[in-house]
Amino acid sequence: MNPLTLLFLFIFSLAADGQGSVGVNYGRIANNLPSAFKVAKLLKSEGITRVKVYDTDPAVLKSLSHSNIKVTVDLPNELLFAAAKHSSFANSWVQRNVVAYYPSTQIEAIAVGNEVFVDPKNTTKYLLPAMKNIHAALVKYNLDKLIKISSPIALSALQNSYPSSAGSFKPELEPVIRPMLDFFRQIGSPLMLNAYPFFAYESNADVIPLDYALFRQNNGVIDAGNGLRYFNLFDAQIDAVFAAMSALKYDDVSIVVTETGWPSKGDKNEIGASVENAAAYNGNLIKRVLAGGGTPLRPNTNLTVYLFALFNENKKFGPTSERNYGLFYPDQKKVYDISFNVVGSKSDRENRLPVADMSVSATGESWCVVNVEAGKDKVQRGLDYACGEGGADCHPIQPGSTCYDPNTLEAHASFAFNSFYQKKGRVAGSCDFEGAAHVVAHPPKFGKCEFPTGY
């Protein structure tokens, strides 16, 4: 089995375990894509159990019937006016495009419009009335508790996004944002968000480190506004939106990232667009999401993220990158293989440290654990130092002691690294060990061993 197949099988097997969840966007702005039946077969063969589409094409919805794949469908922007002005249209649309396929096709959400705030046809004023009419139709068919309603917004809806703590919506959008978030609160729906660190990096490559954009090892960035440390641009972007919602008193509304990705090819001026970077971004993002936990600002909320996109789409307008976001070519061959070394049983996963860097608070609790990408040699040297001249308390990982099991290098080294880190008062630089360690904001879990937070 090739690496990308293993990747997908593991990604989508975790949803039931309460971890973060990863889906894919199935766009079809192309004239050379395989049939919907072949796509459904591809999704199932790769173990993909969550997909988002941009319409309600009957062939697609029929192909996903009895597939156990959860589906998010879209009511296009051009139908917002009709859905907003005529409840009969909304009822008919739901009946034809949702009720007719549910539950054999597991529709779990409806995206009403897409990035409506930047729609050149100025459809913003129809958004909330359309959502309310679509929701009323779901109520009519007793589906309102089973199918969520939201609308994806672009990051451009923010007036400020840096630092994350200063996140705020554009003032001219607040008359729409406030009642929309209030509606989501009432019906228990999340805010859908399209977030692309690639765009921020491309425009600010002289300021934003590539490692920070690609989830690679880095020293992180401290947000001076709230004292939180960020190790990747993705988390910082999500938290900017959380901060914007918090400023409006909607801390209880969650976020689903309906689009994110990195192009494998671009024009000469599209800095960072490459196969290598696309593989790094998507591969590391998946690790970060599946590690569980949320963002520095919302650490206890697991994320649901949809990668963009399943295929390269040759009819998309714009720069070269627009046609090269796919994980697959139209012939179903992979654009790149994403190496993924965290594959195994549930018990294995419980005793394995997430590879994604997690953010930490400068004032809250934090732990020091192994960076599994550093390699065994560095980890072993770090363990020897911590338990030797470093003065870490390594008695609990000796045979017969409380933290001896699981008897793995990663578990033992993590305990020793954390002991050293806590004894040093969690000062900067005390959790490094030649890059073999990093700081996390969630209590590590290796068997039944509890890691201390202070001495």
Side-chain angles (χ1 to χ4, degrees):
M1 188 176 292
N2 63 63
L4 192 58
T5 299
L6 287 173
L7 163 71
F8 280 131
L9 287 175
F10 187 63
I11 288 173
F12 300 100
S13 69
L14 281 179
D17 291 339
Q19 301 294 318
S21 177
V22 181
V24 294
N25 283 276
Y26 172 22
R28 306 194 323 281
I29 305 178
N31 61 6
N32 56 357
L33 297 183
S35 68
F37 174 79
K38 289 182 178 179
V39 172
K41 188 175 180 180
L42 173 66
L43 294 172
K44 288 187 285 187
S45 70
E46 300 293 349
I48 298 173
T49 60
R50 185 164 265 131
V51 67
K52 178 175 167 286
V53 295
Y54 291 88
D55 52 24
T56 53
D57 184 271
V60 172
L61 295 182
K62 288 178 182 177
S63 72
L64 295 169
S65 178
H66 303 292
S67 65
N68 291 322
I69 296 173
K70 290 180 168 56
V71 183
T72 294
V73 299
D74 182 82
L75 183 145
N77 290 355
E78 55 265 27
L79 298 182
L80 287 175
F81 174 82
K85 292 297 184 180
H86 307 288
S87 59
S88 59
F89 176 88
N91 286 334
S92 177
W93 188 89
V94 168
Q95 198 283 324
R96 291 194 322 270
N97 299 295
V98 178
V99 178
Y101 301 99
Y102 188 89
S104 58
T105 299
Q106 294 184 20
I107 298 172
E108 66 170 346
I110 300 172
V112 179
N114 184 57
E115 298 188 354
V116 175
F117 299 152
V118 293
D119 185 352
K121 295 183 179 180
N122 193 26
T123 52
T124 296
K125 61 185 176 181
Y126 305 122
L127 178 57
L128 186 56
M131 285 195 289
K132 289 185 174 181
N133 280 345
I134 293 295
H135 181 259
L138 290 178
V139 172
K140 176 181 178 181
Y141 293 105
N142 295 316
L143 293 175
D144 56 299
K145 304 299 183 185
L146 301 169
I147 298 175
K148 300 295 185 183
I149 287 187
S150 189
S151 184
I153 68 169
L155 207 64
S156 59
L158 296 184
Q159 177 77 15
N160 297 304
S161 61
Y162 180 84
S164 298
S165 58
S168 62
F169 290 110
K170 291 179 177 177
E172 63 269 27
L173 293 179
E174 284 194 20
V176 178
I177 291 283
R178 283 182 180 273
M180 183 177 74
L181 293 176
D182 194 57
F183 180 60
F184 292 161
R185 172 185 282 166
Q186 292 174 28
I187 64 175
S189 284
L191 173 67
M192 292 178 171
L193 173 68
N194 296 342
Y196 287 88
F198 168 72
F199 295 142
Y201 174 77
E202 176 197 19
S203 302
N204 302 277
D206 57 331
V207 177
I208 300 175
L210 183 59
D211 286 345
Y212 183 68
L214 298 179
F215 302 88
R216 290 174 176 160
Q217 186 76 18
N218 64 89
N219 293 326
V221 177
I222 293 179
D223 186 320
N226 56 22
L228 297 174
R229 184 183 294 272
Y230 288 85
F231 290 100
N232 62 78
L233 183 55
F234 175 83
D235 278 0
Q237 289 186 338
I238 305 307
D239 271 359
V241 180
F242 273 131
M245 291 198 296
S246 180
L248 299 181
K249 310 302 181 185
Y250 289 96
D251 299 272
D252 53 335
V253 177
S254 61
I255 287 177
V256 168
V257 181
T258 37
E259 285 185 23
T260 191
W262 196 284
S264 60
K265 185 179 180 181
D267 296 321
K268 289 184 178 180
N269 64 334
E270 293 188 281
I271 301 172
S274 70
V275 169
E276 178 185 7
N277 290 344
Y281 179 81
N282 284 325
N284 290 332
L285 170 65
I286 288 165
K287 296 174 187 178
R288 179 258 176 277
V289 172
L290 295 185
T295 62
L297 206 56
R298 297 286 185 272
N300 297 319
T301 302
N302 288 318
L303 292 173
T304 295
V305 175
Y306 288 81
L307 299 179
F308 187 88
L310 188 59
F311 294 108
N312 283 343
E313 300 171 66
N314 67 346
K315 289 297 183 179
K316 295 199 73 174
F317 294 106
T320 297
S321 62
E322 286 294 311
R323 294 173 288 283
N324 289 278
Y325 274 90
L327 296 170
F328 292 87
Y329 293 110
D331 63 2
Q332 302 183 64
K333 291 182 180 178
K334 298 166 183 63
V335 177
Y336 45 80
D337 282 343
I338 304 175
S339 61
F340 196 77
N341 59 5
V342 186
V343 180
S345 66
K346 180 178 179 182
S347 60
D348 290 336
R349 294 195 299 271
E350 288 176 345
N351 292 325
R352 182 180 286 115
L353 181 71
V355 297
D357 280 310
M358 302 302 291
S359 306
V360 300
S361 168
T363 57
E365 291 184 339
S366 58
W367 295 260
C368 181
V369 288
V370 164
N371 168 23
V372 295
E373 295 181 339
K376 291 183 178 179
D377 290 342
K378 282 188 177 180
V379 173
Q380 185 63 59
R381 286 200 300 271
L383 174 60
D384 293 341
Y385 171 81
C387 292
E389 60 184 287
D393 179 12
C394 294
H395 292 96
I397 57 176
Q398 300 304 310
S401 296
T402 55
C403 290
Y404 179 73
D405 291 321
N407 182 19
T408 66
L409 175 62
E410 182 184 343
H412 288 184
S414 291
F415 187 91
F417 290 172
N418 183 65
S419 174
F420 179 86
Y421 174 65
Q422 302 297 338
K423 284 192 171 185
K424 294 295 182 180
R426 302 194 290 272
V427 298
S430 61
C431 179
D432 183 68
F433 298 95
E434 298 181 276
H438 64 164
V439 178
V440 295
H442 303 283
K445 186 175 182 181
F446 290 93
K448 297 180 180 180
C449 182
E450 294 185 2
F451 281 44
T453 58
Y455 286 91

